[in-house]
Amino acid sequence: DVTGTYFAMFDYLTINEWDQKKGFYSCEDRYGFLLSHAFLNKSFSFLQVVERHHCKISEIDSFHKDFVAHGYEGAMIINLAEVTKS
């Protein structure tokens, strides 16, 4: 039984980036694309976009512990302005 199962998306590469093996967009830009396109097709109800939180370096440990306490694997720390390299 897979009731309640979902695919959590936090980032992706566009087809063009994948094919060219080179990033063109920042993580922040791709997240905006993801939010604006992920739910256009209602048949993809199993997709959930992962909520992002901005925090100070001193808050990382607290965020991580809170996420783990809520059943997540932990926190991912990324530079939103960086363009993904392959």
Side-chain angles (χ1 to χ4, degrees):
D1 182 26
V2 294
T3 303
T5 301
Y6 62 91
F7 182 74
M9 296 180 67
F10 62 89
D11 195 7
Y12 75 107
L13 293 174
T14 65
I15 294 295
N16 192 29
E17 289 174 305
W18 181 265
D19 287 344
Q20 303 232 359
K21 297 181 176 32
K22 179 177 178 165
F24 300 108
Y25 302 102
S26 70
C27 185
E28 190 167 27
D29 288 339
R30 287 191 311 270
Y31 189 69
F33 299 154
L34 184 60
L35 289 176
S36 65
H37 293 92
F39 301 104
L40 293 178
N41 186 336
K42 301 296 184 214
S43 66
F44 293 135
S45 60
F46 58 89
L47 293 178
Q48 290 187 14
V49 177
V50 174
E51 182 179 356
R52 291 189 173 175
H53 301 271
H54 295 131
C55 68
K56 298 175 185 173
I57 291 174
S58 61
E59 300 172 314
I60 291 172
D61 190 53
S62 175
F63 270 93
H64 173 78
K65 288 177 180 174
D66 187 50
F67 295 146
V68 170
H70 284 89
Y72 296 101
E73 293 178 15
M76 179 182 291
I77 302 164
I78 56 174
N79 178 349
L80 296 176
E82 185 175 8
V83 175
T84 302
K85 301 174 187 90
S86 58

